[in-house]
Amino acid sequence: LEAAAAKSPTVAKLTALAEAGKLDLNQPIAKYAPRVTPCLGRVTMHQLLSHTAGMRDEAAMDGPHDDAALERTVLGWKDDVCMANAGRVFSYSNLGYGVAGYVMEQVTAKPFADIVRDLVLTPTGMRTSTYRPLQAMTFPLALGHHPRDKIVRPFADHSGTWPAGSLFSSVNEMARFAIALMDGGKIGGEQALPAAVVARITSAKTPISAMDREYGYGLELSTEDGLPAIRHTGGRIGYGSVVHLLPSRRVGVIVLVNSTSLPNRLARKVAQLAAGVTPERGSAQPESTSVADRVAARIAGTYVNSAAIRTTLEIRDGQLQLQFAGRWFPVRQLGPDRFGAKGAAQLQDFRILDGANGNPEFLVAEMWALRRR
């Protein structure tokens, strides 16, 4: 087995609870979890699952291993865990899925790992998949490695973050879940997951502000090579995973690696070959221009999501530059609200979103929103 970060089993269970009438996805979660900090009490499960709850993003890799850690973790957060008003902007948050898992525990009065096992993993035949490392170790387990082939020690685990994607699984068992997603919840003709649950998970809920994609519940939705595509990636220290589905061609590709990497290109290439599609040529890059002084002055500032996700736009040596990983990168303008900073990794293509007052409020790049300070 290899570790695969996967939010979909969490979502499947929560959506099943909603379909059964035990949980209203559009009610403030304080109805089910009254002890959370006030800013969290006001958000809904729909906002948590669609990453529109306005929460910052972090992903602790090491921590406690007991079932009570999820409750301790969530109840330990204060209002600074919220960086934007709920519903204002899409911003990926692993912490948000931790809150969703905690609400699940409150509604069912069971530990998170047991709930998902009983109502998602067992029905889909994922019998050796588990969130519990000590159980995963009783099956063949591929140890995580750093990029330079060094085994990750100690083994990364934090039970307070399991709902965000810490499922140990195999390609064969993840394939069963993928089949259910592409066949209305059926596996081998048998209904493993309710069709209504699958339909809700795989339907678009919100656009991803910085990308030409939409987000469902725990899944990215897009058009790739002319075909509808469903995908998601996951990573933790020593492991990486990609699920890439082309439902109209009945093709699903799952790539799990025991190395700190995200094999996106490999998954897409295999999907193209299996589906018999011709890869689309890369779209022409928009013409870039230097950033006008008035624009640079307007958007300059510090933008923050969390301690690890932050940047500064600053006029240096007469031009707008962006700070990333301790370096400064020249910024070019690509459109009315779109900018590029070549070489700045996740921040090399970003947009600036204005607030109600007409002033810059967010810098959005890839899956994250960073609020201006």
Side-chain angles (χ1 to χ4, degrees), residues 57-336:
D57 187 32
E58 293 177 1
M61 297 293 174
D62 296 295
H65 315 292
D66 59 299
D67 285 331
L70 178 57
E71 179 176 67
R72 292 198 308 272
T73 298
V74 173
L75 295 185
W77 292 331
K78 304 302 181 185
D79 271 4
D80 62 358
V81 75
C82 301
M83 62 94 187
N85 292 331
R88 171 67 181 90
V89 66
F90 175 92
S91 190
Y92 194 88
S93 176
N94 286 289
L95 302 186
Y97 269 66
V99 177
Y102 170 65
V103 172
M104 184 192 301
E105 290 188 336
Q106 296 304 294
V107 171
T108 62
K110 292 182 179 180
F112 168 79
D114 292 347
I115 304 165
V116 180
R117 178 199 64 202
D118 294 343
L119 295 172
V120 178
L121 302 180
T122 298
T124 53
M126 300 172 70
R127 295 181 177 83
T128 63
S129 298
T130 179
Y131 287 92
R132 305 182 189 280
L134 294 182
Q135 182 174 343
M137 292 173 187
T138 65
F139 301 105
L141 177 68
L143 296 177
H145 285 66
H146 290 295
R148 295 184 179 179
D149 295 329
K150 293 180 63 176
I151 293 177
V152 175
R153 292 190 176 96
F155 193 90
D157 178 58
H158 188 325
S159 55
T161 65
W162 284 353
S166 301
L167 180 69
F168 293 90
S169 190
S170 64
V171 165
N172 287 338
E173 293 201 352
M174 285 300 295
R176 296 183 64 82
F177 190 81
I179 289 169
L181 289 181
M182 292 192 292
D183 199 18
K186 293 182 179 180
I187 301 176
E190 299 292 328
Q191 198 73 44
L193 296 174
V197 169
V198 173
R200 218 191 261 211
I201 292 173
T202 56
S203 63
K205 302 298 186 295
T206 184
I208 301 176
S209 305
M211 306 172 74
D212 187 20
R213 295 178 185 172
E214 294 185 288
Y215 205 83
Y217 282 162
L219 294 167
E220 297 174 42
L221 312 172
S222 63
T223 299
E224 297 189 13
D225 304 310
L227 300 175
I230 300 173
R231 66 188 304 278
H232 212 287
T233 62
R236 62 189 293 177
I237 295 176
Y239 297 98
S241 62
V242 178
V243 176
H244 191 109
L245 311 178
L246 302 176
S248 64
R249 295 293 176 90
R250 318 300 289 169
V251 167
V253 176
I254 296 126
V255 182
L256 309 180
V257 295
N258 60 327
S259 175
T260 307
S261 61
L262 297 177
N264 287 301
R265 292 183 180 179
L266 174 60
R268 182 173 181 179
K269 184 62 178 179
V270 173
Q272 290 169 340
L273 292 171
V277 299
T278 302
E280 291 181 338
R281 293 183 178 180
S283 56
Q285 294 298 312
E287 184 178 349
S288 68
T289 60
S290 59
V291 181
D293 291 346
R294 60 178 178 78
V295 175
R298 193 178 89 85
I299 68 175
T302 296
Y303 295 81
V304 179
N305 176 293
S306 64
I309 306 174
R310 58 185 297 146
T311 190
T312 295
L313 291 175
E314 185 177 302
I315 300 173
R316 298 166 61 89
D317 301 324
Q319 69 174 150
L320 186 67
Q321 298 190 38
L322 176 143
Q323 186 181 45
F324 177 78
R327 296 174 58 195
W328 290 93
F329 299 85
V331 175
R332 302 282 290 177
Q333 187 147 11
L334 306 176

